[in-house]
Amino acid sequence: MNVNLTFVESPLACQDIQKHFGSIQVLNGITLTLLPGTVLGLIGRNGAGKSTLIRILLGLQQPDSGQSFVLGDRSLAMGDAVKSRLGYVPQQPDALGWMRVGDMLDFVGCLYPRWDREFVQQSLLRWQLPPSSPLSKLSPGERQRVAIIRALAVRPDLLVLDEPAAALDPVSRRDLLREIAVRAAESGTSVLFSTHIVSDLERVASHVAFLHEGKLLLHAPLDELGDTHARLTVPAEAKGTLAARVAGELSRRRRPDGSVSLVIARQSDAPWPLLAADPRIRLDHLGLEDLFIEVAG
């Protein structure tokens, strides 16, 4: 397979990733590039394939076909130098559960040359996490907070978070999102985080990638979605004007009243489909939350 040089030079990238579990296709031809210094929100419903994609991107799982890269290394052959620049929070951070919080962080810190001990101490105090507590005795939210501290203390060039706020209370979620924004803005950290919580993504992401039923439906700057995506509502009496598929179509639904709702992406600089010029058809520009509900709801 020919590899685009851009993929190799990006902090995180993959090309034509395919993955099956038995007869079920979980990922279908995913090609994705994280631009340096950006915060990319990977959004999709539970079961859309987000965690599987992240594990493949980080070399924790092998795809059926395709390849991925982390900070210039192939994901499945990542060197120690690259690993030292990577912070990762899995969806269920259960590793080293037999250790105490402080001992685990001291042990892991010895493996990273840029380990920020002061940040660790301040974060444990701020989130009221006793260093003497065994990890196995912590609540899911507390274990997730410890995992976040561990990932951020690396002072990573690349930060990957898989549903990082799922078990956090609102205050902790706000602290995490603020930290992500600060790291990206001040340190140039490149961030990929997956979520199904649209409001979290809207607070910090510069770009969004929408994964649905194993396919990447879009990858775009967040602030351009309103200009580039719209919903066409075609009443029953105008359905005859519909083609089998409209250019840029992402989803199509038939409504109880006989009308059809289409979500479309604008193609390059071309105008919206001529269909939108029909006075019987309503065009509504879509923000991220509406887009998510229309396509994945």
Side-chain angles (χ1 to χ4, degrees):
M1 177 185 293
N2 293 325
V3 178
N4 189 320
L5 184 61
T6 302
F7 293 147
V8 181
E9 295 175 340
S10 299
L12 191 64
C14 66
Q15 184 176 17
D16 196 24
I17 295 294
Q18 306 274 349
K19 183 65 179 178
H20 291 77
F21 290 128
S23 62
I24 300 174
Q25 185 165 26
V26 180
L27 298 174
N28 185 3
I30 304 298
T31 295
L32 182 66
T33 303
L34 174 63
L35 300 175
T38 61
V39 179
L40 174 61
L42 180 63
I43 191 171
R45 294 185 66 173
N46 291 334
K50 302 189 300 298
S51 293
T52 300
L53 176 59
I54 285 175
R55 290 180 61 81
I56 289 173
L57 285 167
L58 297 181
L60 300 173
Q61 198 162 4
Q62 188 164 351
D64 297 333
S65 62
Q67 49 193 330
S68 58
F69 302 87
V70 179
L71 295 167
D73 279 6
R74 292 185 183 275
S75 300
L76 292 170
M78 201 187 312
D80 290 342
V82 165
K83 291 177 182 177
S84 71
R85 300 165 58 199
L86 168 65
Y88 169 51
V89 178
Q91 191 171 10
Q92 296 180 330
D94 296 328
L96 304 176
W98 52 273
M99 298 186 76
R100 293 184 298 179
V101 172
D103 293 341
M104 184 276 288
L105 291 170
D106 288 341
F107 169 72
V108 172
C110 294
L111 306 176
Y112 291 92
R114 298 190 292 186
W115 187 258
D116 192 338
R117 298 185 185 279
E118 184 178 353
F119 170 79
V120 170
Q121 294 171 357
Q122 292 175 349
S123 298
L124 290 175
L125 285 173
R126 183 172 72 252
W127 279 346
Q128 299 179 353
L129 295 166
S132 59
S133 295
L135 285 163
S136 60
K137 301 297 184 182
L138 299 181
S139 70
E142 289 171 329
R143 285 199 298 272
Q144 201 161 34
R145 287 196 287 271
V146 172
I148 290 166
I149 292 171
R150 184 187 65 213
L152 292 174
V154 174
R155 289 194 285 178
D157 293 322
L158 171 63
L159 179 62
V160 180
L161 307 163
D162 188 1
E163 296 279 3
L168 299 182
D169 59 75
V171 174
S172 297
R173 280 173 56 195
R174 187 170 62 247
D175 286 346
L176 170 61
L177 296 173
R178 184 185 303 114
E179 190 69 37
I180 292 173
V182 169
R183 297 271 175 153
E186 296 184 358
S187 304
T189 302
S190 304
V191 182
L192 171 68
F193 77 101
S194 74
T195 184
H196 62 277
I197 305 173
V198 175
S199 59
D200 286 350
L201 189 151
E202 289 179 319
R203 287 192 179 100
V204 297
S206 58
H207 292 68
V208 60
F210 194 168
L211 192 64
H212 183 60
E213 296 181 347
K215 295 182 179 181
L216 193 66
L217 294 188
L218 68 90
H219 178 200
L222 182 60
D223 59 5
E224 293 180 7
L225 284 182
D227 295 327
T228 57
H229 292 78
R231 176 180 58 229
L232 291 177
T233 303
V234 184
E237 62 270 19
K239 284 195 300 184
T241 62
L242 280 177
R245 183 173 179 83
V246 176
E249 181 178 328
L250 299 180
S251 71
R252 179 181 298 215
R253 291 186 182 188
R254 296 189 180 279
R255 300 189 177 277
D257 62 0
S259 65
V260 176
S261 175
L262 294 88
V263 174
I264 57 174
R266 189 169 185 167
Q267 301 295 291
S268 186
D269 294 326
W272 297 107
L274 294 176
L275 190 67
D278 189 321
R280 298 171 297 176
I281 296 173
R282 191 175 77 234
L283 185 147
D284 299 306
H285 292 274
L286 295 177
L288 180 59
E289 184 170 8
D290 289 335
L291 179 64
F292 181 63
I293 292 171
E294 283 289 332
V295 175

